[in-house]
Amino acid sequence: MLKSIDEINEKISKGQAVVVTAEEIIDIIDEKGLPRAAREVDVVTTGTFGPMCSSGAYLNLGHPVPRMKFSSSTYVNEVPAYSGFAAVDIFIGATALPDNDPRNKTYPGEFPYGGGHVIEELVAGKDLRLVANTYGTDCYPRRRIDTLINIDSINEATLFNMRNAYQNYNIGVNLSDRTIHTYMGVLKPRLGNATYSSAGQLSPLLNDPYYKSIGVGTKIFLGGGTGYVAWHGTQHSPCALRGDNGVPRRGSGTLAVIGDLKQMSPHWLRGVSFLGYGVSLMVGIGVPIPVTSEKVLACAGVRDENIFAPVVDYSNAYPYAKTEILAEASYAQLKTGIITVNGKSVPTASLSSYAKATEIAEILKKWIKDGDFSLTSPVAPLPGVESGIVMNSLKERDH
Amino acid sequence: MSVSRRIVLRFPRPLVDQPIIYKLVKDYNLMFNILKASVTPKEEGLLALELSGTQADYNRGVQFLTEAGVEIQPIGKDIFRDEDLCTHCGACVTMCPTDAFHIEGRARWIRFDAEKCIACGICIKACPARAMEMTI
């Protein structure tokens, strides 16, 4: 080992740590060579800012007088919240929709407001309307409430996202003859466009392909505040196809993350609406990678031209769960604005914000340089390629 | 010198049934390409169009329109991006038929060029953050 995390933290506390972003490190390795860069650089910061649907927040509302056990009918700004917990704990999911949203009844639905927007407004400090009906008990006699809450009036407000920061993702296209509306955005007919959603060379898990640095307990930038990696995310698939450089060529690893909403910012948690699909939450995440060895730095030095993503047809292959891949394209190719699929030039668009990912990596860099953010050692590793994890599909059975 | 401008014309009610655009062609040699046309519930007419011709003809045509009582505005004033809402993702880039959005620099900021916009409105609902607004 070149440097321990304790040694790096020592430097951080003295304001002497050398911190660069996952984009800057590429040029530094080119210029100085890997061994020297690994000796000189202490931390590489990564960042990503994109729609992450498996996000949500749990709130403890505080007890009203008389007491009430919130149950199946609980709404925040008309968005249903899950309350199958103790009396006043509720969970708001990012893609939840008001009961009266017309969905896709007039296709494509607009989905102007939902759980992601509730979370953004909560973080922004706005008053939100809480309406709930329930049954009475001897200990919780109250049956109805209609009031206002905000982030200061409630007890805990915790962001808890069960799947974020996907390590690579599909490139969406449409082979059909009509425009389709998907979570990969509006896809024009006959390969009219291609959308992707990863910060590529800046994305946290693409800079640590084998999860050697990032693990359970890693302290991170989350939604403008600090948070932690809580666990591996749902659908974490470390055994997905990898390239010679170890970087996954398919959607693979994921993170479950957690953090105190009260210190986050609406700038980095944004409710978004996908035409004809639904709502989501754009989440800002930045993960520091301590340069403990040359090997770690070699991984963090990954560049867009060496990261490949699969092109998937969202008119047929994706909805019907066919494994067909039309092509592969590198993030460098995607960023030129044109990729080639089935012999056709297809214009590309990103759904995650590289500009904001860069900003996050820069903010995290500043926090660390200023001594405001120390690094943590994982308390447990994320499942790796040795886990043999295979994703199950939902097989329907007679009963 | 020839010019080509994208403008929005607002016709007050008495002018709605007048052949104003015909006169721009016949009397002022201007070419037009209609981008959007509508009559509002208050029976005012709205026409977004591209006008091309020599600078002299264009000036005379605009003078004719103004004197006739037509309100003229560059199209860019009616389409704008709420900079606080834009996340610079880029979902708009391939939706725009006139390439009014482009990507700038290594950090890939998304820039909106109102001059290229034809006010079709396709970007408005395609924007996940709903950052684009149109007032025509």
Side-chain angles (χ1 to χ4, degrees):
Chain A
M1 187 185 281
L2 209 57
K3 283 166 269 184
S4 72
I5 290 178
D6 284 344
E7 284 165 354
I8 295 172
N9 274 334
E10 180 76 22
K11 282 188 173 179
I12 293 172
S13 65
K14 289 180 187 158
Q16 293 169 350
V18 177
V19 190
V20 301
T21 70
E23 192 182 81
E24 291 167 333
I25 193 64
I26 293 169
D27 292 343
I28 294 171
I29 293 173
D30 275 350
E31 195 186 310
K32 303 188 171 183
L34 187 64
R36 192 172 147 208
R39 281 196 307 276
E40 292 181 7
V41 175
D42 299 309
V43 186
V44 174
T45 60
T46 64
T48 185
F49 186 68
M52 304 193 196
C53 291
S54 263
S55 299
Y58 62 81
L59 317 179
N60 179 282
L61 301 167
H63 288 268
V65 182
R67 290 182 196 266
M68 175 166 168
K69 189 207 172 310
F70 287 74
S71 64
S72 57
S73 168
T74 301
Y75 294 89
V76 181
N77 277 6
E78 299 191 14
V79 175
Y82 183 73
S83 48
F85 306 111
V88 294
D89 285 337
I90 67 170
F91 191 92
I92 297 164
T95 68
L97 293 169
D99 289 346
N100 63 5
D101 185 289
R103 271 71 177 172
N104 267 336
K105 279 176 190 149
T106 46
Y107 176 84
E110 294 192 17
F111 304 98
Y113 194 87
H117 302 86
V118 170
I119 293 168
E120 178 186 331
E121 291 188 357
L122 183 70
V123 177
K126 291 187 182 164
D127 276 335
L128 308 175
R129 188 168 169 197
L130 172 72
V131 176
N133 287 290
T134 183
Y135 58 96
T137 75
D138 292 335
C139 43
Y140 293 103
R142 184 167 190 150
R143 296 207 280 191
R144 176 169 172 77
I145 196 163
D146 182 345
T147 186
L148 296 175
I149 56 167
N150 63 44
I151 199 158
D152 297 319
S153 76
I154 60 179
N155 293 313
E156 291 78 11
T158 307
L159 189 74
F160 183 30
N161 303 343
M162 65 182 94
R163 179 163 83 251
N164 279 178
Y166 238 117
Q167 187 179 26
N168 216 343
Y169 209 76
N170 293 343
I171 301 163
V173 296
N174 174 11
L175 292 179
S176 80
D177 289 329
R178 69 172 182 93
T179 297
I180 60 172
H181 302 83
T182 73
Y183 72 86
M184 292 300 287
V186 181
L187 294 172
K188 300 203 267 189
R190 296 175 292 278
L191 294 170
N193 62 344
T195 57
Y196 63 100
S197 189
S198 170
Q201 63 194 13
L202 263 183
S203 184
L205 288 175
L206 287 173
N207 283 280
D208 182 18
Y210 290 111
Y211 328 115
K212 296 296 177 196
S213 302
I214 304 170
V216 177
T218 297
K219 188 163 79 170
I220 61 173
F221 171 109
L222 179 60
T226 55
Y228 293 87
V229 174
W231 202 246
H232 60 278
T234 54
Q235 287 175 218
H236 177 74
S237 305
C239 304
L241 179 70
R242 287 171 189 263
D244 293 339
N245 56 357
V247 176
R249 300 173 84 99
R250 303 287 181 267
S252 43
T254 66
L255 298 177
V257 299
I258 193 163
D260 181 7
L261 260 186
K262 293 196 179 191
Q263 35 101 22
M264 296 185 196
S265 147
H267 194 64
W268 300 112
L269 290 173
R270 294 286 309 280
V272 284
S273 304
F274 283 91
L275 189 63
Y277 170 71
V279 298
S280 188
L281 184 70
M282 280 183 97
V283 181
I285 294 180
V287 181
I289 295 175
V291 182
T292 51
S293 70
E294 280 181 27
K295 215 171 164 184
V296 163
L297 189 66
C299 288
V302 73
R303 55 184 75 208
D304 282 334
E305 50 262 50
N306 296 325
I307 309 171
F308 290 84
V311 180
V312 175
D313 170 35
Y314 274 70
S315 71
N316 184 279
Y318 185 84
Y320 296 100
K322 298 171 185 171
T323 51
E324 191 193 3
I325 304 295
L326 297 171
E328 282 187 324
S330 73
Y331 284 88
Q333 287 162 341
L334 285 163
K335 283 180 170 180
T336 65
I338 297 278
I339 58 169
T340 304
V341 183
N342 291 358
K344 194 178 168 187
S345 290
V346 185
T348 60
S350 174
L351 297 175
S352 71
S353 172
Y354 194 79
K356 297 286 175 183
T358 307
E359 231 180 309
I360 288 169
E362 287 290 343
I363 292 170
L364 185 55
K365 178 170 102 177
K366 185 172 188 311
W367 286 357
I368 298 169
K369 273 188 162 176
D370 292 351
D372 296 331
F373 188 107
S374 59
L375 306 188
T376 53
S377 302
V379 293
L382 302 174
V385 289
E386 74 294 339
S387 68
I389 290 175
V390 179
M391 283 301 111
N392 293 318
S393 57
L394 178 58
K395 294 192 179 67
E396 294 165 76
R397 291 185 288 163
D398 291 333
H399 56 86
Chain B
M1 196 180 80
S2 67
V3 291
S4 183
R5 300 268 157 78
R6 285 177 180 150
I7 53 178
V8 178
L9 308 182
R10 285 187 170 80
F11 298 75
R13 191 170 164 178
L15 288 183
V16 167
D17 57 359
Q18 301 292 311
I20 302 273
I21 302 303
Y22 166 78
K23 289 191 174 164
L24 285 180
V25 180
K26 185 144 190 306
D27 299 347
Y28 301 99
N29 298 318
L30 294 174
M31 284 200 299
F32 67 92
N33 178 24
I34 295 179
L35 308 171
K36 189 183 177 100
S38 66
V39 177
T40 68
K42 285 194 212 155
E43 294 183 19
E44 289 163 331
L46 182 146
L47 193 59
L49 79 176
E50 184 164 0
L51 268 190
S52 322
T54 67
Q55 181 76 58
D57 283 339
Y58 181 85
N59 292 351
R60 289 195 307 131
V62 165
Q63 190 182 353
F64 157 71
L65 289 171
T66 312
E67 283 169 5
V70 177
E71 203 184 298
I72 308 170
Q73 220 179 57
I75 217 167
K77 290 226 161 122
D78 291 287
I79 315 278
F80 59 94
R81 184 170 75 176
D82 186 326
E83 297 300 331
D84 289 337
L85 290 181
C86 176
T87 66
H88 295 269
C89 66
C92 50
V93 173
T94 56
M95 298 311 296
C96 178
T98 58
D99 294 329
F101 298 96
H102 68 275
I103 296 166
E104 191 179 287
R106 196 169 175 181
R108 303 181 71 77
W109 296 97
I110 312 298
R111 303 298 178 206
F112 170 56
D113 183 353
E115 293 287 308
K116 287 188 176 176
C117 174
I118 56 165
C120 69
I122 288 174
C123 58
I124 292 177
K125 290 177 184 173
C127 170
R130 301 282 153 93
M132 297 303 298
E133 286 178 39
M134 182 159 75
T135 53
I136 55 173

